[in-house]
Every structure is written in structure tokens, then in C-alpha cells.
Amino acid sequence: MNTAAAPEAMRPPSDLESGGPASHKGRVLAWASWDWGSAAFNAVMTTFVFTVYLTSAPFGGEDQASAVLGAALAVAGIAIALLAPVTGQRSDTGGRRKLWLGVNTAAVALLTGLCFFVFPRPEFLLLGVTLIALGNVFFEFAGVNYNAMLAQVSTPRNIGKVSGFGWGMGYLGGIVALLAVLQLFVQPGFAWFGASTEESLNIRLVAVFSALWFFIFALPVLFAVPELPRTGKGAGPGFFASYGLLVRRIKAMYRTSPHTIYFLLASAIFRDGLAAVFTFGGVIAAGTFGFALKDVIFFAIFGNVVAAVGAILGGFLDDRTGPKAVIVASLAGLLLAGTAILVLGNGNYDVFGMAWAGTTTFWVFGLFLCLFVGPAQSSSRAYLARLAPHGESGELFGLYATTGRAVSFLAPALFTLCIALAAPVVAPGEAQRWGILGIMAVLLAGLLVLLPVKAPGKTEIAVVPAA
């Protein structure tokens, strides 16, 4: 560590250490309520319901509509990678973290609600994918400010528990929102106008439901958590000048706290693997293990419950052992569970005289995967929050979003490559299972890059130059 570059008199405290000596339960609950509400956009709109609707036959067929949706989300990803650090930086210096959380959240809710006007006809495909893509952009911007607030609602003694509680609320909120959508709109349990399938009214009303769900549950944090004190003097740099300041700060961060940069790189890799576990989990369940759609949904519900429990338990361990230990143990657990699914496959076995079917393999080890995903995600957020210089959490979490987007092609590419390599040498229908190897390779690479990174308690807080 180059301590000469950061003498003690210049070394600022972290955002976490600059907070109060105790956290308020009301503020923690209000903050976690945003995570609960955000699941309506993540789980309902972008994963299980609305994007499935957008890629259905009325919009031109799965292949064409999926290609258009993928292109729109790719453009959104580029926009997030380029803009997230600067939007976080400007909310820090302007003392407007909560304001921009509210603005971006309202934008997501509005864009989600406008999806009601996406009628099931090909000419509405472009409108639908544009609204979803823009929603993703503003959702990531809101997430930067939301994650940065972690230091405002927690203390060095409970930051892991608070972060884990937030992640757990997100998983559980997704389950409740999905069950409500299924009961009210997709497979309604009673007759009402929202159950009508004419012009896909029931699915379009899902968008209105999701918008209201997110907006209502996002309100508590906007009232309960105080605004960030203004740290900058004067008007601050212009938009394009902010990029110059960003570059200078990254250089200073690397000089005075290189392990912060190393963690950003390591987490970008293993977070891509974590995302792939959920992205391709349902695909593997259906394609390799023969799960019907209802079985996939049931597994998704149980998987989210287990992930929530894992995140909450991991948060308690985080505060006792540190976030790095939790992340390393979680990645090791993921590798073991994933390897078991890869090796056992959909075969039938005899275990101590009892029949062990392929579906049992996926249920048991698939739920173990879910158990370890939550703690890895939660402790990654808590790890970075501990390293954020005072007043710089937004910018640092913006970089967190950018680095994640920069390598988000890794797991999907390796998943596809492993399937392509396996196809000529395995029996028909067996190649997809080998895609798991690609996901495991990304998780292993992230673990290996993380191992030499120092724990937050052994890492200097970066010195950042003023605007």
C-alpha cells in the first residue's frame, strides 16, 4: 500500500464510518421496502411475465421478437455502463441522492405503467421493448443511489445484516408479487374484468399492477431516510467535465486503495456468474431435467425463498466474519452444487436403497445454488459500502454497475460455447447440461481473482481529488 500517497492527515473516513453510531429500525425497514417493491420490475416485468408476452406469437414470433428485445437491452446496457458512475457522482456532490432515487424510481414506475398500451400486435413491439429497455436504464440509476444509501441506514457493526435483509426482502417481494399476478391476472382465481384475455388485457394490466407495486413500496425510503448532506462547493463540474473528474478519481483510487479496484474487477466477474445461475436455471430445468412450466414456476418460488433465507443468514455471518469470507464460502458452495448437477445430470441412481431421480438432483442441488447466491450478492454490496470514501458512495456504486455491465457477456458466451462444444460428442439432448460448465468457469474465475483481494478492514479508504 502506498501510504506516502495518502498521508494520515489526508486520508478521509469511509461513508459508513461517517454515519451515526446506531441504525434506526424504521429507516432500515423503509430502505428495504424499496427492494421489496423493485421485485415487481425485476421478477414480473423483465423475467417471468411481460418479456415473455413481448416475445410471443402476436409480436412476430419468439425468434424475431427476442432478437429485437435483446438488441434493445444491449443498447440499454451500454447506456448504463457509460452513465452510471457519473450520475452517482453528481448525486453525491449535489447532496441529492434521495432526490435522484425518487426521480429514477418514478421514471421506472411511469415507463412500466405505459406498458399497458403495448397491444398484442407486431406494430407495438418496438414500443414495448423501448419501454422495457428505458425502464432498465432508470432502474439501474435508481439502484446506484439505493445501494449508496446502505451506509446511511447501517453501522460498521450491522452493515452485513442490513444488506442481507434488503436482499431477502427483494426475493420475498418477488414471490408475493408473482403469486398476486398469477392469482389476479395470469390464472385468475375468480372472475373480474382484469381476467379478460381480450387484447391481452390481463397481461397489460400486469404492467399497471407492477408500476403501482413498485411506486407504493418505494415511498417509505423517500420519507424516512434523510437527504445526503451536500459535499461539493459551488455548482460542481459540468456533465462532460464529470468524466474527467471520474478518470482522475479512478487513478487516485488505484494509487491509494488499489484493492478497491481489484474488488470491483473480481466482483464484476463472479456477479456475472451469479446472474447466470438465475438466468439459465429455468432453461436447464426445462431442457435438461424435463420440468414442465408449472414445475419451473414452483422451483422459482422455492428458490427465491431459499435465496432470501441465505441472504439474511449470510448478512449475520458477514458482520461476524467479514464480507470476503462470506463471498468466498458462497462461491465455493456454488461450485460444489453446480458440479453435482453437471456430473449427476438427469440420471437415475440408487442411494442407500432409495431411488434418486434426475429431478431430485436438480431440486436438491438447485436449491443449494439458490442458498449461496443470496449471501454472495448481499456481501458484495456490503463489501463495497465499507470501502466508499465519505460522500462518494454513489460514484463507487456507479462504477460497480459499470464493471458489472462490462463483463456481462462472459457467462452467456461460455454457456453457449460449452453447449456448442459438447453437442457433437454427447447424446442428443445432453449438450445443454454442459452449459453449466461455462457458468462454473466464470464463478471459479471470479473466486480466483477475489482471493488475493484484501478484506475491507485491511484496505485503505481511497483518497479522491476534489472537483
Side-chain angles (χ1 to χ4, degrees):
M1 183 65 62
N2 185 4
T3 54
E8 193 66 35
M10 296 174 58
R11 192 173 297 136
S14 70
D15 231 6
L16 182 64
E17 294 167 339
S18 302
S23 59
H24 301 276
K25 290 183 179 179
R27 290 180 181 177
V28 172
L29 288 172
W31 176 79
S33 177
W34 190 95
D35 240 331
W36 174 283
S38 70
F41 183 77
N42 277 330
V44 177
M45 294 299 292
T46 65
T47 304
F48 292 111
V49 180
F50 202 79
T51 51
V52 175
Y53 166 65
L54 277 179
T55 54
S56 61
F59 293 95
E62 181 179 343
D63 292 342
Q64 177 189 347
S66 295
V68 175
L69 176 63
L73 292 177
V75 173
I78 294 171
I80 293 165
L82 292 175
L83 297 173
V86 169
T87 57
Q89 174 199 112
R90 294 175 71 80
S91 69
D92 285 341
T93 57
R96 296 176 178 176
R97 182 178 293 167
K98 185 171 73 171
L99 170 66
W100 285 111
L101 173 62
V103 169
N104 289 316
T105 298
V108 176
L110 176 61
L111 291 163
T112 300
L114 289 174
C115 288
F116 174 79
F117 298 102
V118 180
F119 291 87
R121 293 191 284 276
E123 58 267 28
F124 286 92
L125 174 62
L126 186 59
L127 172 62
V129 299
T130 299
L131 291 172
I132 290 295
L134 286 174
N136 270 275
V137 172
F138 285 104
F139 183 83
E140 289 285 353
F141 291 169
V144 167
N145 290 292
Y146 172 74
N147 287 333
M149 276 188 172
L150 175 58
Q152 293 176 249
V153 298
S154 60
T155 70
R157 298 184 63 182
N158 71 357
I159 183 172
K161 182 170 64 175
V162 171
S163 181
F165 178 68
W167 273 107
M169 288 283 280
Y171 285 125
L172 295 176
I175 296 168
V176 176
L178 278 172
L179 289 174
V181 165
L182 286 171
Q183 183 69 19
L184 293 174
F185 305 103
V186 179
Q187 295 179 343
F190 54 93
W192 72 297
F193 82 92
S196 172
T197 58
E198 185 177 355
E199 290 279 41
S200 297
L201 176 63
N202 59 329
I203 303 300
R204 292 188 291 117
L205 282 174
V206 166
V208 178
F209 169 86
S210 299
L212 292 173
W213 179 281
F214 190 13
F215 184 76
I216 291 170
F217 285 107
L219 289 176
V221 70
L222 302 178
F223 288 101
V225 180
E227 182 58 279
L228 181 74
R230 185 181 178 90
T231 60
K233 296 181 180 180
F239 180 78
F240 292 104
S242 296
Y243 283 95
L245 177 59
L246 176 64
V247 172
R248 294 196 301 275
R249 285 179 167 174
I250 292 174
K251 289 180 178 179
M253 190 182 301
Y254 182 76
R255 185 173 62 251
T256 59
S257 183
H259 284 265
T260 299
I261 300 295
Y262 301 155
F263 176 74
L264 286 171
L265 296 176
S267 70
I269 297 171
F270 69 69
R271 281 186 291 133
D272 188 44
L274 298 176
V277 170
F278 278 117
T279 301
F280 297 110
V283 174
I284 294 170
T288 299
F289 292 89
F291 279 39
L293 178 59
K294 63 180 181 63
D295 297 320
V296 173
I297 294 174
F298 277 126
F299 181 84
I301 291 172
F302 280 103
N304 274 272
V305 171
V306 172
V309 172
I312 294 170
L313 292 177
F316 281 94
L317 291 174
D318 184 308
D319 291 326
R320 287 159 177 77
T321 65
K324 181 180 177 181
V326 173
I327 298 170
V328 169
S330 297
L331 293 178
L334 285 162
L335 288 169
L336 289 173
T339 300
I341 294 175
L342 175 62
V343 172
L344 296 176
N346 197 26
N348 295 314
Y349 303 93
D350 182 81
V351 180
F352 301 112
M354 298 176 60
W356 180 285
T359 52
T360 305
T361 295
F362 191 83
W363 270 102
V364 172
F365 293 105
L367 290 178
F368 268 111
L369 285 172
C370 296
L371 179 68
F372 292 117
V373 165
Q377 290 174 321
S378 170
S379 288
S380 294
R381 177 166 65 184
Y383 194 119
L384 196 63
R386 288 176 167 95
L387 296 177
H390 178 49
E392 307 293 336
S393 286
E395 184 176 70
L396 197 57
F397 275 105
L399 288 171
Y400 189 65
T402 293
T403 52
R405 288 286 176 170
V407 301
S408 60
F409 66 92
L410 277 177
L414 287 178
F415 178 81
T416 304
L417 176 62
C418 287
I419 293 174
L421 292 175
V425 296
V426 300
E430 289 288 324
Q432 186 195 60
R433 161 182 152 203
W434 290 92
I436 299 171
L437 184 61
I439 300 174
M440 295 301 102
V442 174
L443 291 172
L444 178 61
L447 174 60
L448 293 177
V449 176
L450 176 66
L451 287 177
V453 179
K454 292 182 179 179
K458 300 178 181 179
T459 302
E460 297 290 344
I461 303 301
V463 173
V464 294

